[in-house]
Structure formats: C-alpha cells, structure tokens
Amino acid sequence: IYLKYGEPDNIIQSPHEPMAYPYEIWHYYTLPPNQSNKKFVFVNYNIVTKDMELAHSNAIGEMNDPQWHLKLHSRASNIETNVDRTEYDTHYGSKALQLFNNPY
C-alpha cells in the first residue's frame, strides 16, 4: 500500500487493545482517482512477528472485508460464528471501529 499510494496522512497504531490483535489504521485524505477519506486496516494475526497484513479498506479496488472488525477480535473466546455478523460487541478498551470511522 505504501509503494502504491505513498505515505499516509495519518497512522493510528494500536498494539495493545484488549481482546484484539495488534493493528494499524492508515488514513489517506485523498487517493487517485478522485477518492477521499480512504482508510486501510492492517492486522498482526501472528503476534510473534511484526508482520502486518491488510485486513480491510474502503478504497475502490482494494481488499474490503465487512467482517474485519470481528476477525480483529477473534482472539476472544466468546466470538460466535454467525456469517451475517460484521461487528464485535464493544467492551472496555475497544476502539477500533471508532478509530476507523473517525480517525482524527
């Protein structure tokens, strides 16, 4: 993503959110062609390494996973396996959706 779009305008890092894998949200104010307010969520599902993989984006032509928030919190043992569910119940310290929707 960095090689394709350059440096993001804002990066939010969350290495220790309760019940979630470490993640980063990259926010680009503008992307070609004529896209604005685009975000990319990178998640470290392995934890042992520092390898982040793209989990979700709202940019046209990029990976879009409606269940990214649920997968981000899949470390929790109480995740139900409902294929229609897209969000994890909020709990103390959960801020991934808030940061994705309002990264400022």
Side-chain angles (χ1 to χ4, degrees):
I1 299 302
Y2 185 89
L3 294 176
K4 186 173 184 179
Y5 298 116
E7 186 174 347
D9 296 300
N10 188 23
I11 296 176
I12 298 168
Q13 297 177 327
S14 184
H16 305 296
E17 183 172 313
M19 305 302 261
Y21 288 104
Y23 67 92
E24 292 184 1
I25 300 174
W26 292 13
H27 185 202
Y28 289 86
Y29 300 150
T30 59
L31 287 180
N34 302 321
Q35 297 185 68
S36 61
N37 194 29
K38 298 303 172 187
K39 295 165 220 129
F40 296 83
V41 179
F42 297 92
V43 180
N44 180 354
Y45 293 110
N46 190 348
I47 298 181
V48 175
T49 66
K50 295 189 182 217
D51 296 334
M52 295 278 195
E53 63 182 79
L54 180 61
H56 174 71
S57 177
N58 64 350
I60 295 171
E62 297 296 343
M63 181 179 186
N64 183 293
D65 183 357
Q67 292 188 324
W68 72 271
H69 187 248
L70 199 59
K71 291 175 184 174
L72 176 69
H73 289 89
S74 63
R75 289 177 67 183
S77 60
N78 61 348
I79 298 288
E80 61 184 69
T81 57
N82 181 344
V83 295
D84 295 327
R85 189 172 180 191
T86 59
E87 296 179 7
Y88 180 66
D89 296 332
T90 56
H91 56 80
Y92 177 78
S94 176
K95 58 186 177 178
L97 274 180
Q98 176 186 353
L99 293 173
F100 184 82
N101 293 326
N102 187 14
Y104 305 106

